[in-house]
Amino acid sequence: VLGYRATSPDVLVKLRFAPDVTDARREAVVSQIVGRIGPATYAIERPGDAARSLASVVGEALSARGATLAVAESCTGGRLAAE
């Protein structure tokens, strides 16, 4: 079963599988869906994984590179800093 929910700035795509679907088949389907969505995919959560926001993924990528991000907010109501 495929479902989705759009809440700015994300679109969450959820896949549910019948209990008899093998891990290999599940991974193949996930790979196919990620391939169709493309580079906009920033996190894949499996059962038991903690949820990851776009902000946390970007922060981890910046930290891994030893980089930082500077922003000047004027029209976001502080939403960037709040993340």
Side-chain angles (χ1 to χ4, degrees):
V1 174
L2 179 124
Y4 67 93
R5 177 181 50 166
T7 56
S8 182
D10 304 312
V11 176
L12 173 67
V13 177
K14 241 183 206 189
L15 300 172
R16 291 196 177 183
F17 297 91
D20 60 338
V21 175
T22 65
D23 289 343
R25 178 67 183 139
R26 203 171 12 250
E27 288 301 318
V29 171
V30 169
S31 293
Q32 185 179 29
I33 298 295
V34 169
R36 289 184 181 195
I37 294 171
T41 304
Y42 65 84
I44 298 172
E45 297 169 17
R46 290 173 174 80
D49 287 354
R52 297 176 67 205
S53 69
L54 177 57
S56 68
V57 172
V58 170
E60 290 169 13
L62 289 170
S63 292
R65 292 176 177 81
T68 60
L69 174 68
V71 297
E73 295 189 73
S74 64
C75 300
T76 64
R79 288 187 66 205
L80 289 174
E83 291 284 330

